DNA sequence: ACAGTACGGTACTGTACCGTACTGTTTCGT
DNA sequence: ACGAAACAGTACGGTACAGTACCGTACTGT
C-alpha cells in the first residue's frame, strides 16, 4: 500500500528530485527549448519510462520544474515605503544579476505568447515575483503614505520595468547607481520623500 | 552574366521576396522556433533547394527576415522635449499593441540569451528601436532643457521599461491612461515641465 | 516470506527537422 | 535560337524528439 497517501516512497522522492534537478539545470542552460526528456533521462540516470510515470507530459514536468522560481524572499517591513521599496528593488536587482531563472524567464515569456499551457505558468510566476511590491504598496496606502490612485500595478511597472529593460533589452549592467536612481525616481513619482538608507 | 553585380535577376527577386514574406509570417505566428525551412518552402512555393541557394543556413534567413523589424518612424521634432517624448511613447505603445514584431521580440531576446549569432541581431534591433529616444534626448540636452547627467540610456529605461513590462510581463492593456502617466512620470524625473498636447 | 510498487533497459512508432543530391523544366539575357 | 542561370520536385541521410510497450529486477512495508 502506498501508505494511505501520506508518506511517499523514498524511491519516488529520489527519482523525482533527480529529474527535477536536471530539468532545472537544462532549463537554466538552454531555456525551455533546451529541455528534452531524453536528455533529462540521460543526465539524471532516471529512465524515460519512470519520468513519464510521474509526469504526464513534457509540459507538466516543465511547469513543476519552474515552480521554485522566484520563491519570495521575506517581505521587508521597515515602516517606511521608501525603505521597503529600496530593499525590494535591491533584492530584485540582485536576483536579475545572478539568479539562474533570470536566463530562463525570457523563454517563458516567449512560450506564454503562444502556448496557453505555459501562459498560466507565466501568470503564476509574475504574480509571485510582484507580490512583495503589492504588499508594501498596500501597507503604505494603509498608512496614508501613498496616494490611493496609484495601485500596486503602477509601482510594479515603474520599478520592475526599468530593471527588466536593462537586464534583457539594453543588456547594460544593473549597477548600484542605476538601481538607486530607479528607486529615487519611483519615490518621487508617488510623492514620497526619500528616506531610505 | 549576372549583369555585372548591378541588376538582379527578376526570378531571384521574386523568390527571395516570397521566402522572406513567408518567413516573417511564420515568425510572427510562432516565434523563432516556429520557423522551419520545410514550412517556409511549402507556403512560399519556393523549393528548399532554392532557399539554400540564397541563404547559407536557417539562421541567416532568420536574421534577414528580422531586418525590417522596428524600422524607425520619423523622429518628431516639435521643439519641446515633452512633446517629442509624448509622441515617441505613443508611437511605441501603438507598435507594442499591434505590430507583428511585438510577438516576436521575446523569442529574439530569449535566443540572444544563448546564441551569439542572434545576440547580434538583438543588439541591432534594440539600437534601432531606441535610436529615436536618443535623438530627442540629445536635442533636449543641446537646448539645455535636460540635465546632462541623464543620458539617452536613462530615458530609454524609464520610458520603454514600463511599457515593455506591461506588454510582456504583466500583460495588462497598454491603455492611454497608462501611457500618459509614463510620459508624465518620465518628464518629472528629468525636471521638465509637462507641456505636451 | 510476500505482494505491491518503483524502477531500469531497450526497443519501438511516429513525427519533424536540417541540409544535400539529383533530375528535369522554365525563364532570362543576348 | 541558344546557352546559362534559376527554378521545382523529389528523394534522401542523419539527427532529434515525444511518448508508449514490454520485460525482468530491486526495493518497500507488513
Amino acid at each position: 500500500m502506498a501508505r494511505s497517501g501520506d508518506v511517499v516512497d523514498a524511491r519516488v522522492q529520489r527519482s523525482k528530485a533527480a529529474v527535477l534537478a536536471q530539468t532545472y539545470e537544462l532549463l537554466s542552460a538552454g531555456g525551455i527549448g533546451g529541455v528534452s526528456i531524453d536528455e533529462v533521462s540521460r543526465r539524471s540516470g532516471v529512465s524515460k519510462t519512470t519520468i513519464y510515470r510521474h509526469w504526464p507530459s513534457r509540459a507538466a514536468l516543465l511547469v513543476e520544474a519552474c515552480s521554485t522560481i522566484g520563491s519570495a524572499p521575506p517581505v521587508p517591513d521597515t515602516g517606511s515605503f521608501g525603505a521597503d521599496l529600496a530593499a525590494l528593488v535591491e533584492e530584485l536587482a540582485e536576483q536579475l544579476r545572478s539568479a539562474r531563472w533570470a536566463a530562463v524567464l525570457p523563454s517563458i515569456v516567449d512560450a506564454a505568447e503562444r502556448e496557453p499551457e505555459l501562459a498560466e505558468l507565466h501568470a503564476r510566476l509574475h504574480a509571485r515575483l510582484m507580490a512583495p511590491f503589492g504588499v508594501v504598496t498596500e501597507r503604505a496606502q494603509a498608512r496614508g503614505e501613498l496616494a490611493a490612485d496609484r495601485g500596486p500595478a503602477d509601482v510594479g511597472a515603474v520599478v520592475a520595468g526599468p530593471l527588466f529593460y536593462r537586464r534583457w533589452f539594453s543588456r547594460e549592467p544593473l549597477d548600484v547607481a542605476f538601481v538607486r536612481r530607479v528607486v529615487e525616481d519611483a519615490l518621487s513619482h508617488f510623492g514620497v520623500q526619500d528616506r531610505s538608507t
Side-chain angles (χ1 to χ4, degrees), chain A:
Chain A
M1 203 81 77
R3 281 314 343 96
S4 69
D6 193 8
V7 175
V8 181
D9 194 307
R11 295 168 293 178
V12 175
Q13 287 184 329
R14 259 207 315 276
S15 294
K16 292 189 83 167
V19 168
L20 284 174
Q22 287 305 317
T23 302
Y24 196 73
E25 205 70 25
L26 285 171
L27 203 55
S28 310
I32 288 190
V35 177
S36 80
I37 304 289
D38 281 302
E39 189 63 22
V40 171
S41 168
R42 249 187 302 268
R43 296 202 187 187
S44 65
V46 175
S47 85
K48 240 172 84 167
T49 320
T50 301
I51 296 177
Y52 278 102
R53 262 194 282 267
H54 293 313
W55 291 275
S57 70
R58 174 176 174 273
L61 172 59
L62 284 174
V63 168
E64 184 163 347
C66 290
S67 68
T68 63
I69 285 182
S71 57
V75 180
D77 189 4
T78 63
S80 119
F81 180 59
D84 282 356
L85 195 63
L88 280 181
V89 172
E90 292 283 358
E91 171 68 27
L92 179 57
E94 182 51 36
Q95 296 262 313
L96 288 178
R97 272 191 292 259
S98 64
R100 310 282 290 273
W101 57 259
V104 183
L105 212 46
S107 74
I108 296 178
V109 168
D110 178 42
E113 199 80 17
R114 15 200 148 265
E115 297 172 46
E117 194 166 0
L118 294 174
E120 260 182 69
L121 170 62
H122 173 270
R124 277 209 303 277
L125 285 182
H126 173 260
R128 201 182 316 160
L129 279 175
M130 290 299 124
F133 290 96
V135 173
V136 304
T137 301
E138 278 161 10
R139 275 206 296 249
Q141 284 178 335
R143 283 194 302 262
E145 204 178 349
L146 194 58
D149 67 332
R150 294 299 190 113
D154 284 305
V155 176
V158 163
V159 161
L163 258 55
F164 287 179
Y165 172 88
R166 190 107 163 174
R167 169 66 179 80
W168 288 304
F169 287 91
S170 81
R171 292 172 157 271
E172 296 161 285
L174 279 169
D175 51 64
V176 226
F178 179 78
V179 172
R180 211 187 48 231
R181 231 173 319 164
V182 167
V183 176
E184 285 171 8
D185 288 348
L187 291 180
S188 78
H189 281 177
F190 302 120
V192 179
Q193 283 307 320
D194 182 9
R195 39 185 173 126
S196 70
T197 52

